[in-house]
Amino acid sequence: MEVEEEKEAFPSNNDCLAEGKCDGQILKEINSEPTESFDVQNSLPEGKKEFVAPAVGMEFESYDDAYNYYNCYAKEAGFRVRVKNSWFKRNSREKYGAVLCCSSQGFKRIKDVNRLRKETRTGCPAMIRMRVVDSKRWRVLEVTHEHNHLLGAKIYKSVKKMGSGARSKLQSSSDAEVQKIKLYRALVIDAVGNGTPNCNATGGRKFSDHPHQLNLRKGDSQAIYNYLCRLQLTNPNFFYLMDFTDEGCLRNVFWVDSRCRASCGYFGDVIYVDNTCMSNRYETPLVALVGVNHHGQTVLLGCGLLAGETVESYTWLFKAWLTCVSGQYPQTIITDRCKALQTAIAEVFPKSNHRFSLSLIMKRVPEKLGGLRNYDAIRKTFVKAVFETLKVIEFEAAWGFMIQHFGVTDHEWLRSLYEDRARWAPVYLKDTFFAGLSASRPGENLSPFFDKYVHKQTPLKEFLDKYELALQKKHKEETLADIESRNSSPELRTRCSFELQLSKLYTREIFKRFQFEVEEMYSCFSTTQLHVDGPIIIFLVKERVLAEGNRREIRDYEVLYNRSASEVRCICSCFNFYGYLCRHALCVLNFNGVEEVPSKYILSRCKKDYKRFYVPDQGSYNVDSIDHMQWFNQLYRSALQVVEEGAISLDHYKVALQAFEDSLNRVHVVEEKQD
């Protein structure tokens, strides 16, 4: 191994200035993998550009790409770059490692002290160390940002020694070719809306001026840039994507932090697309992808800032999320009634069940029907048709009665609702799994994820600050619920064996909901056979329910039971809507002498130990020998499980920390052997 030190010098016959090809550069990051390269020249109009600071883990296609990037960053920051050390293979003389440092690094040699040239060396520690990895890319392994001197104006040019061949190639590139750089885990965006009329950075947000680009206030671009850069440097598994117009204007942004990304693996089977801010024209054009965890709490699965409610923007957002989760389709997607969303989901998630949010539909009833004569009576009939019918024929009859009786045949909103009924009416959705996000009972709501943190006039910069506060609160709630579920036993209220069985398995909140169903078994007073077809028996369960005016009425529920297949299905479909069996199904099991709920009806996502034993990505057993990102993602997920467990108590913490230290020492031993 040879070490070559290159000193700073001014251009002479043997030296030339390496111009940092920074102007007009746009770079995108897709989970450390590029999807496209961008022209370094002429991609954007002239204007101020901001470069993300170097970070451990950045990867580049070549040494020149890495050098040019650090040179551009230094130019913006106000210091010069020189190559401190280079490492070459003994036989091939192929470069495989280097240290780039601030030109003020080190000190003059004693014999040079008396030269007339002004002293510029201060022993500055700023540097990056990088080397070639197995993927043949150059990876940054060590970074020091701190300088021990004042930084100058952003006009410096760095000096790099090159042979005549390299100089000729560079000059040819600048004259005839457009240089391209593929940069991994790095980002450049225009800090001031590119400084052109085409890129709207004004004092206020106007939704109609530029429907195909993100409408930003002055300073919003810089706020987005700062926020994403900070997360990238501090959040190991942070993922983001940025979408630009052909003119270089920011159009859409998507990001998922490490904890939310882990939640995608656990709870990405059912997603609610919360576009409240978009549909109500909030100051912040936010779309949140939301799931529900094993405590019945909503969890964030991703965030986007979109140019508008267009098919193109939503399609881009969903493809970005799909990239983040390695192509794992959600089972169910719940959205507002929006044609753009419907088209985008059909394109990106053709295998998923797309359903409309009943909660949002019910919220719009006063707005859409409030002006009608006999509104109160219409609303009551509407609610009865939606929530109290159990069969399609009953819903159709109740809807037809409402339309004819109140003379609203030509009401456009009701007509369009009826056309879409198979996507929102509970009676049509019995085979769709909702995991508790269905809101299929009167009074249930799907509140906006950032409710109380974002209102109509909240500026984007303020939202980015509140975003982390909201997530910290959600994460704390989940952690406390985990601790409570594991460290305490719920109080039993009946002698039912089902209650005892699931008190040991379910999380505290899910058990409370199931426990209510067990208690309500006592309101079911009759279980009789209706029909027998081999092993399949249809039972009729009668229940006294509380109706309007605090009066009790009797309702009939049909339950299918197959003893040989351990299958039980109620017409109310509580299991698909909420993830646990209803009182009617439990009555049938009890009637047939079954003492335990069949395992197929105890969902792992409802258990208190779900995140301890469930590994979202089973592909880890088939490891790609060159896919570094697969290694990183699997290691991160595994480490996160240790972190989750280590936060339970001080003893857990000490054991987890020691395990991490031991593992790191063993990894260092492997690295030393390779060196």
Side-chain angles (χ1 to χ4, degrees):
M1 179 178 69
E2 297 183 19
V3 179
E4 174 187 303
E5 181 171 347
E6 302 188 56
K7 301 177 183 178
E8 178 190 18
F10 288 94
S12 63
N13 292 334
N14 296 322
D15 299 323
C16 76
L17 287 174
E19 296 284 354
K21 301 237 175 199
C22 309
D23 293 338
Q25 187 174 0
I26 306 175
L27 303 173
K28 285 172 64 174
E29 188 273 343
I30 307 180
N31 190 29
S32 303
E33 293 293 336
T35 53
E36 58 183 300
S37 57
F38 293 88
D39 293 347
V40 175
Q41 295 174 323
N42 303 324
S43 293
L44 290 176
E46 293 293 339
K48 179 184 176 183
K49 308 295 181 290
E50 295 288 341
F51 283 74
V52 64
V56 173
M58 280 184 174
E59 291 187 1
F60 302 84
E61 281 287 273
S62 66
Y63 169 78
D64 285 340
D65 283 354
Y67 178 86
N68 286 338
Y69 158 74
Y70 195 54
N71 188 62
C72 291
Y73 165 73
K75 181 178 178 182
E76 288 296 318
F79 67 95
R80 301 183 187 186
V81 171
R82 65 184 176 87
V83 182
K84 179 184 178 185
N85 300 100
S86 295
W87 288 268
F88 297 82
K89 293 182 179 178
R90 293 183 183 277
N91 298 325
S92 65
R93 296 291 298 170
E94 179 184 353
K95 185 180 292 188
Y96 70 89
V99 174
L100 306 182
C101 65
C102 173
S103 62
S104 296
Q105 187 271 343
F107 298 94
K108 275 188 177 181
R109 291 173 295 187
I110 296 176
K111 66 179 183 179
D112 295 330
V113 169
N114 294 325
R115 291 188 180 181
L116 296 178
R117 185 178 169 189
K118 183 181 178 181
E119 172 64 274
T120 60
R121 301 291 184 90
T122 64
C124 179
M127 53 76 73
I128 64 170
R129 180 171 64 88
M130 55 190 182
R131 67 175 294 170
V132 176
V133 293
D134 291 342
S135 63
K136 304 303 181 184
R137 299 175 191 150
W138 282 76
R139 179 181 297 171
V140 177
L141 303 178
E142 182 181 353
V143 176
T144 301
H145 291 291
E146 295 76 17
H147 295 262
N148 63 0
H149 56 92
L150 294 177
L151 298 181
K154 301 180 181 181
I155 57 173
Y156 291 135
K157 297 175 182 178
S158 297
V159 178
K160 176 184 176 185
K161 289 186 179 180
M162 293 183 294
S164 59
R167 287 199 302 271
S168 174
K169 184 176 180 181
L170 178 61
Q171 291 165 357
S172 173
S173 174
S174 63
D175 292 337
E177 300 178 2
V178 177
Q179 183 183 1
K180 293 186 177 182
I181 297 177
K182 290 182 180 178
L183 172 59
Y184 298 73
R185 295 191 69 82
L187 164 72
V188 180
I189 69 171
D190 188 342
V192 289
N194 300 325
T196 71
N198 289 332
C199 297
N200 186 32
T202 65
R205 199 177 313 285
K206 297 180 181 179
F207 289 86
S208 58
D209 288 353
H210 302 277
H212 301 298
Q213 68 185 54
L214 199 58
N215 288 285
L216 302 174
R217 284 179 177 268
K218 186 176 181 179
D220 282 354
S221 292
Q222 186 66 54
I224 295 172
Y225 164 77
N226 291 340
Y227 175 73
L228 294 181
C229 289
R230 180 165 53 83
L231 276 186
Q232 186 186 40
L233 294 173
T234 60
N235 215 293
N237 208 27
F238 174 64
F239 176 99
Y240 68 83
L241 273 174
M242 304 192 80
D243 179 33
F244 294 86
T245 65
D246 292 339
E247 294 75 27
C249 300
L250 187 59
R251 181 162 48 198
N252 302 301
V253 184
F254 171 75
W255 73 93
V256 190
D257 68 30
S258 59
R259 187 124 186 201
C260 295
R261 197 171 182 187
S263 294
C264 290
Y266 292 119
F267 310 113
D269 50 349
V270 180
I271 297 177
Y272 167 50
V273 180
D274 179 7
N275 66 334
T276 304
C277 296
M278 295 294 294
S279 59
N280 292 294
R281 304 223 160 188
Y282 278 33
E283 185 75 9
T284 299
L286 174 71
V287 175
L289 304 182
V290 181
V292 61
N293 67 12
H294 53 320
H295 302 291
Q297 302 165 336
T298 53
V299 292
L300 190 64
L301 306 178
C303 265
L305 300 173
L306 302 186
E309 286 195 286
T310 63
V311 174
E312 294 76 17
S313 286
Y314 282 126
T315 299
W316 181 88
L317 176 73
F318 296 142
K319 286 182 177 179
W321 186 84
L322 200 58
T323 300
C324 174
V325 298
S326 303
Q328 295 297 315
Y329 283 80
Q331 189 173 339
T332 305
I333 302 177
I334 306 164
T335 72
D336 194 3
R337 292 177 67 234
C338 170
K339 289 295 184 183
L341 274 170
Q342 194 169 343
T343 303
I345 289 172
E347 178 182 342
V348 183
F349 301 117
K351 301 177 184 178
S352 302
N353 297 312
H354 180 202
R355 303 295 181 247
F356 295 147
S357 169
L358 180 56
S359 172
L360 294 178
I361 290 173
M362 297 309 297
K363 283 182 179 179
R364 293 198 175 100
V365 168
E367 171 195 345
K368 299 294 185 180
L369 304 181
L372 296 176
R373 184 183 177 187
N374 298 322
Y375 164 69
D376 288 338
I378 294 174
R379 183 185 60 80
K380 288 179 181 179
T381 307
F382 181 87
V383 170
K384 190 177 182 69
V386 171
F387 293 110
E388 296 184 13
T389 56
L390 293 172
K391 298 179 179 180
V392 170
I393 191 172
E394 295 174 358
F395 176 83
E396 300 279 355
W399 191 275
F401 170 79
M402 176 183 69
I403 296 297
Q404 295 298 326
H405 183 74
F406 296 106
V408 289
T409 307
D410 297 328
H411 194 280
E412 179 60 26
W413 188 68
L414 289 175
R415 184 192 60 76
S416 65
L417 265 188
Y418 184 74
E419 290 178 356
D420 291 335
R421 63 193 181 282
R423 291 187 184 271
W424 63 268
V427 72
Y428 293 95
L429 308 179
K430 296 180 185 295
D431 293 325
T432 302
F433 181 66
F434 286 92
L437 284 174
S438 62
S440 60
R441 294 168 181 161
E444 292 182 337
N445 259 325
L446 275 179
S447 298
F449 185 84
F450 290 103
D451 197 24
K452 299 179 181 177
Y453 291 92
V454 181
H455 53 76
K456 197 160 188 175
Q457 305 303 324
T458 301
L460 177 59
K461 287 187 283 188
E462 183 180 331
F463 162 72
L464 293 176
D465 292 332
K466 290 184 174 181
Y467 169 87
E468 294 195 55
L469 293 176
L471 258 60
Q472 286 174 7
K473 183 175 183 293
K474 293 284 186 178
H475 293 158
K476 182 178 180 180
E477 289 173 353
E478 182 175 339
T479 300
L480 291 175
D482 279 337
I483 294 173
E484 183 184 26
S485 293
R486 294 177 186 177
N487 297 343
S488 62
S489 299
E491 178 185 353
L492 301 182
R493 298 177 180 174
T494 71
R495 296 182 180 180
C496 180
S497 59
F498 304 140
E499 183 186 20
L500 176 61
Q501 175 195 5
L502 294 183
S503 68
K504 302 174 183 177
L505 301 176
Y506 280 163
T507 61
R508 193 69 178 264
E509 179 59 31
I510 300 300
F511 175 72
K512 283 172 61 178
R513 301 177 187 183
F514 175 75
Q515 187 178 49
F516 179 73
E517 295 298 320
V518 173
E519 291 180 287
E520 289 299 304
M521 287 173 65
Y522 296 99
S523 64
C524 302
F525 61 92
S526 174
T527 302
T528 57
Q529 290 187 11
L530 276 185
H531 178 72
V532 178
D533 182 9
I536 300 176
I537 306 174
I538 304 295
F539 286 90
L540 182 68
V541 177
K542 292 183 177 293
E543 180 188 9
R544 293 187 182 91
V545 299
L546 191 63
E548 189 178 358
N550 288 327
R551 60 184 180 84
R552 290 275 181 174
E553 65 179 39
I554 296 174
R555 290 187 190 162
D556 296 339
Y557 295 86
E558 294 179 11
V559 181
L560 178 149
Y561 177 64
N562 185 337
R563 179 185 293 273
S564 61
S566 298
E567 182 180 2
V568 59
R569 296 182 60 185
C570 179
I571 196 171
C572 77
S573 200
C574 175
F575 180 75
N576 276 337
F577 286 138
Y578 298 99
Y580 48 83
L581 288 181
C582 65
R583 63 201 72 172
H584 319 111
L586 296 176
C587 282
V588 169
L589 290 177
N590 186 60
F591 181 85
N592 285 276
V594 179
E595 296 184 352
E596 288 193 343
V597 173
S599 59
K600 67 168 67 175
Y601 297 110
I602 307 174
L603 298 181
S604 296
R605 68 173 348 271
C606 295
K607 294 181 180 179
K608 61 180 73 177
D609 58 5
Y610 174 55
K611 293 171 72 175
R612 297 177 66 184
F613 299 110
Y614 174 70
V615 179
D617 183 14
Q618 299 298 333
S620 60
Y621 298 108
N622 186 20
V623 178
D624 191 318
S625 60
I626 61 172
D627 190 345
H628 289 260
M629 283 314 303
Q630 183 195 37
W631 305 350
F632 179 89
N633 290 335
Q634 184 54 44
L635 286 170
Y636 184 84
R637 277 190 287 266
S638 299
L640 193 61
Q641 287 182 299
V642 180
V643 172
E644 296 276 1
E645 293 296 303
I648 294 176
S649 71
L650 181 59
D651 289 338
H652 286 75
Y653 164 78
K654 291 178 179 178
V655 172
L657 188 61
Q658 185 62 50
F660 277 132
E661 292 175 353
D662 293 344
S663 298
L664 187 60
N665 290 333
R666 293 171 64 184
V667 171
H668 284 162
V669 170
V670 174
E671 187 175 1
E672 290 170 1
K673 289 181 179 179
Q674 291 178 344
D675 291 340

